[in-house]
Amino acid sequence: MSDSSLPSQLPGTSDDDDLSELNKNLERLTEDIEQMSVQLTWMAYDVVALRTSPELAAAMSDLEEAYHGCREAVCGDVHRETHADNCPDTAATTLAQI
């Protein structure tokens, strides 16, 4: 009869490990859902901003073109290597990042 109590203790230890793993998985899933929620909120904000003011997309495009024109005027031809050292990389500076 003392042998029958031994098997009951082994699954208990396994249950604790299973619960610990389950808690870790639930925590990870909760963090993933929170990140998706934040991304979805920003996407919804962008859609609302564009639908509220459809001219915004055109204005942003015009502003980006003006930026590139000013950059060429200040830095010269951005494809030449001599002036590229004096000006920041255009790929690193875009209106989408602002």
Side-chain angles (χ1 to χ4, degrees):
M1 291 211 154
S2 64
D3 292 336
S4 65
S5 65
L6 239 176
S8 66
Q9 290 176 354
L10 291 176
T13 306
S14 176
D15 288 342
D16 289 341
D17 292 340
D18 289 342
L19 284 175
S20 175
E21 186 176 338
L22 178 64
N23 283 338
K24 288 178 185 177
N25 287 338
L26 288 174
E27 214 172 290
R28 181 182 50 82
L29 288 172
T30 302
E31 289 175 6
D32 290 344
I33 295 297
E34 287 174 353
Q35 289 176 359
M36 284 190 273
S37 176
V38 168
Q39 291 174 352
L40 182 61
T41 302
W42 279 112
M43 289 171 57
Y45 174 81
D46 291 342
V47 167
V48 168
L50 288 175
R51 285 192 178 177
T52 304
S53 178
E55 301 88 24
L56 181 62
M60 290 298 286
S61 177
D62 292 343
L63 186 59
E64 191 167 4
E65 288 175 16
Y67 163 77
H68 290 295
C70 290
R71 179 172 173 75
E72 287 180 16
V74 171
C75 298
D77 187 11
V78 292
H79 298 292
R80 290 191 304 180
E81 293 181 21
T82 57
H83 290 96
D85 294 335
N86 297 334
C87 295
D89 186 20
T90 55
T93 309
T94 62
L95 292 175
Q97 293 173 337
I98 297 174

